[in-house]
Amino acid sequence: MREAMAPLGSMMLSSAADLGGRIIAIFARGVRTLQLGRRVLLPSALALALMFGWEFGTRAAHLSSMIIVPPSAVFAVLTASYGILLQQAVPTIVETLIGFALAAGIGIVLGTTLMLFRRVRQALYPHVLTFQLIPKIALAPLFIVWFGVGPTSRLSLAVFMAFFPVVIATIAGLLSADRSAVRMANAMMASSWQTFISIRVPYALPHIFAGLKIAVTMAMIGVIVGEFVTAQAGLGYIIMMASSGGDTALTFAAIILLCLFGLALYGAVALGEWLVERRMGVTVTSGEF
Amino acid sequence: MTSGSASQDKPIPEAAYALGLPLVLGVAVLVGWQLAVRLTGISPVIVPAPTDIVRSFGSIAGDLLHHGWATGSEALFAFILSVLFGVAAALLLGFSTLAFETFYPGLVVFQIIPKIALAPLFTFWLGIASTSRLSCAVFISFFPVTLATMTGLKRADVNALRLCQALGASRLQTFVSVQIPYALPYFFSGAKVAATMSIIGIVVGEFISANAGLGYYMLRAQSYGETAHLFAAILVLCCIGLFLYIIPVQAERWVRRWWWN
């Protein structure tokens, strides 16, 4: 603004105002960069401060390595025994992926079926809702009775935990289609298949992806708790054994690997959401858990 | 295709279908289950008949009450704590931009990672007393409350906020009369997630290490092959879960009614 006003004044004033304007512009740009930087800098600074505090706090306090270990010790374990950790990560990752894929597939198919057949929906939906609300983790011991301590019982638990959010999200999404859009499609003599594909599915996608994000987390919880309870193999088993054996560094290393994998899996679903959104041209707004 | 084109000339009203069909299905499943168990003669260790499960309620009522009380009270306590902490954190982040920018990315990361993996660590640090299970459950269920409430506070209608500014409302007045009403539905959806998560945290804690509680009791029943007792314990746990879930649902209803008046 001052730059725009500058030519109006006399020569002296103009150059002074020009200089002032330039300084203000530079200052404003700096503030803007700083504001942008704050969003990155502040969390990074917090993370760094926590790491340093943890590292030097544990060293200074001379705490037993069984209670807490500094991050450097965890890193040392990660680099020293990454072979065995990755080997143990394979069953956990494979079971989570298969469990999630099964839950997503069965959930979307069943949700669509329930949407299409009203009587079936009326009969089943209250039961699905009840199952969604109960603590399904309680069934872990039952799956051990039925399927033993092998991967089948962990997989079943993962599918069972991840499946209901997908069903409910699919039904809610397909039913959320704009009524006037459906009516318009009817008026334009669209077949029910065309209405389904071009109206109901795009409306349902944000809901389905929100359900899938919950399902990813739940499948992982199912596998990890299954590994806690069955104690055969996997990162959950490592965490369980290492923590009861007092090997806190190994426990932390396994937890960090699990967390990285959880983030990657969630990121993959979010990426899928983004790709579908771009392809279908729909705005996927939901996403908060 | 959907309920829009409902047939109105049928003698049976729609409400009867909505109520009757799930009931009929439930009864049919139970009867089929009972008949299948009796006819195939399958071992009660694998699948007990529904009547066996009902009968076992009578024989282990004392156990169920004792362990159910341990799990239920801990889960309720964890739920209350996580709601209190969650709201306090959300208010802090909603008020202070500095705190928001510093903590928000970390909160999102912690929301996504499988926090249940830390359950054995809590047991190791805090022992098998209820403190370890409580901390684990609060740790799991606190993040959904914070993130949901904060999202609500941040999503308050911009026009309403501008109106408040134009009318010269103080920060606190704006907060109470605009941001909090906007945040309430978000808060309650977060509280519903927390209700589910807190009971997961307690039960997993009991799986790992406990000397009381339904998680402990279920694992013991499983290893003794008392599957009917296991089913009975699962049913009690489901009732506790439903009860916990009803708390935020009912609270939301009350708050909505109170707000409208």
Side-chain angles (χ1 to χ4, degrees):
Chain A
M1 185 152 146
R2 291 187 71 168
E3 274 175 311
M5 278 169 68
L8 294 173
S10 67
M11 204 60 190
M12 277 268 283
L13 262 175
S14 135
S15 66
D18 203 31
L19 189 67
R22 208 170 285 167
I23 290 171
I24 286 175
I26 290 170
F27 188 68
R29 203 180 302 143
V31 167
R32 228 173 293 134
T33 327
L34 216 72
Q35 272 171 346
L36 200 74
R38 274 165 61 131
R39 306 214 149 223
V40 185
L41 277 179
L42 281 175
S44 319
L46 176 73
L48 270 180
L50 282 178
M51 280 300 218
F52 273 104
W54 179 5
E55 176 81 39
F56 293 109
T58 45
R59 284 193 188 181
H62 294 294
L63 284 170
S64 153
S65 68
M66 275 178 64
I67 304 294
I68 184 112
V69 288
S72 57
V74 178
F75 188 71
V77 169
L78 266 178
T79 48
S81 47
Y82 69 92
I84 190 148
L85 279 171
L86 287 183
Q87 190 194 329
Q88 291 297 322
V90 168
T92 309
I93 292 175
V94 169
E95 281 161 25
T96 307
L97 285 178
I98 297 178
F100 170 65
L102 282 177
I106 303 173
I108 289 175
V109 167
L110 186 73
T112 313
T113 316
L114 289 187
M115 206 302 278
L116 290 176
F117 303 100
R118 187 156 52 104
R119 294 291 175 234
V120 184
R121 182 169 79 237
Q122 281 174 332
L124 272 178
Y125 194 59
H127 298 289
V128 173
L129 263 186
T130 315
F131 268 101
Q132 159 79 349
L133 297 184
I134 62 174
K136 292 172 283 295
I137 202 83
L139 274 80
L142 197 61
F143 284 120
I144 302 176
V145 171
W146 286 337
F147 305 115
V149 291
T152 321
S153 66
R154 291 190 290 273
L155 205 59
S156 325
L157 185 62
V159 172
F160 190 67
M161 287 194 71
F163 157 81
F164 293 98
V166 183
V167 179
I168 288 176
T170 308
I171 297 175
L174 288 173
L175 288 179
S176 77
D178 191 10
R179 285 217 171 158
S180 48
V182 174
R183 252 185 235 142
M184 180 145 100
N186 284 342
M188 292 168 83
M189 315 288 274
S191 69
S192 52
W193 172 250
Q194 283 171 322
T195 313
F196 186 79
I197 285 296
S198 53
I199 294 176
R200 290 205 182 269
V201 170
Y203 268 98
L205 280 174
H207 292 261
I208 293 178
F209 273 107
L212 288 180
K213 282 179 187 165
I214 300 177
V216 146
T217 319
M218 285 299 172
M220 191 134 196
I221 292 181
V223 170
I224 295 173
V225 173
E227 285 172 353
F228 284 168
V229 180
T230 57
Q232 291 287 300
L235 285 176
Y237 163 73
I238 293 275
I239 292 172
M240 202 58 179
M241 288 300 112
S243 73
S244 64
D247 192 347
T248 309
L250 184 60
T251 312
F252 269 106
I255 288 174
I256 286 172
L257 270 187
L258 260 185
C259 291
L260 286 179
F261 168 58
L263 282 176
L265 205 56
Y266 190 91
V269 176
L271 181 72
E273 182 177 27
W274 183 74
L275 287 175
V276 168
E277 179 190 341
R278 260 180 42 143
R279 204 180 135 70
M280 307 277 297
V282 289
T283 34
V284 181
T285 44
S286 62
E288 235 69 49
F289 180 31
Chain B
M1 202 145 123
T2 54
S3 47
S5 57
S7 46
Q8 280 152 1
D9 50 345
K10 275 191 183 168
I12 304 172
E14 204 48 33
Y17 277 112
L19 200 70
L21 283 176
L23 275 178
V24 168
L25 179 72
V27 171
V29 167
L30 282 178
V31 170
W33 179 356
Q34 179 79 23
L35 284 178
V37 169
R38 287 284 175 261
L39 291 179
T40 56
I42 194 168
S43 157
V45 175
I46 305 293
V47 184
T51 49
D52 295 338
I53 299 170
V54 171
R55 213 172 295 135
S56 76
F57 264 107
S59 58
I60 56 165
D63 283 350
L64 287 179
L65 214 62
H66 169 68
H67 295 292
W69 171 252
T71 305
S73 55
E74 279 180 18
L76 181 64
F77 198 36
F79 171 63
I80 293 171
L81 281 181
S82 53
V83 165
L84 288 180
F85 286 143
V87 169
L91 288 180
L92 175 71
L93 295 184
F95 252 124
S96 153
T97 318
L98 183 75
F100 176 79
E101 286 175 341
T102 312
F103 291 110
Y104 184 69
L107 279 176
V108 172
V109 168
F110 265 95
Q111 164 78 347
I112 296 171
I113 61 172
K115 292 174 288 296
I116 200 81
L118 273 83
L121 216 52
F122 279 103
T123 312
F124 179 68
W125 280 334
L126 301 169
I128 69 163
S130 62
T131 327
S132 74
R133 292 186 291 279
L134 269 180
S135 339
C136 176
V138 172
F139 180 66
I140 292 176
S141 39
F142 148 90
F143 291 97
V145 181
T146 307
L147 279 176
T149 311
M150 210 183 49
T151 309
L153 289 175
K154 291 269 165 196
R155 277 200 191 156
D157 191 10
V158 181
N159 289 328
L161 289 179
R162 283 214 191 109
L163 183 68
C164 281
Q165 267 181 357
L167 292 171
S170 73
R171 186 98 195 262
L172 189 71
Q173 281 173 321
T174 314
F175 198 73
V176 169
S177 53
V178 176
Q179 286 189 286
I180 288 187
Y182 264 95
L184 276 175
Y186 290 87
F187 160 71
F188 280 114
S189 71
K192 284 172 202 164
V193 178
T196 320
M197 284 298 176
S198 57
I199 198 160
I200 290 184
I202 297 290
V203 172
V204 171
E206 287 169 353
F207 280 162
I208 291 170
S209 157
N211 44 24
L214 287 173
Y216 159 79
Y217 182 77
M218 286 190 300
L219 277 191
R220 206 181 59 178
Q222 174 246 316
S223 62
Y224 288 166
E226 292 161 337
T227 311
H229 294 183
L230 178 55
F231 267 103
I234 289 173
L235 279 176
V236 173
L237 198 58
C238 292
C239 291
I240 295 175
L242 287 179
F243 169 73
L244 267 185
Y245 189 83
I246 286 173
I247 295 175
V249 172
Q250 196 59 40
E252 182 171 22
R253 209 171 280 167
W254 281 335
V255 168
R256 283 230 169 125
R257 203 178 301 153
W258 180 67
W259 214 271
W260 282 115
N261 290 342

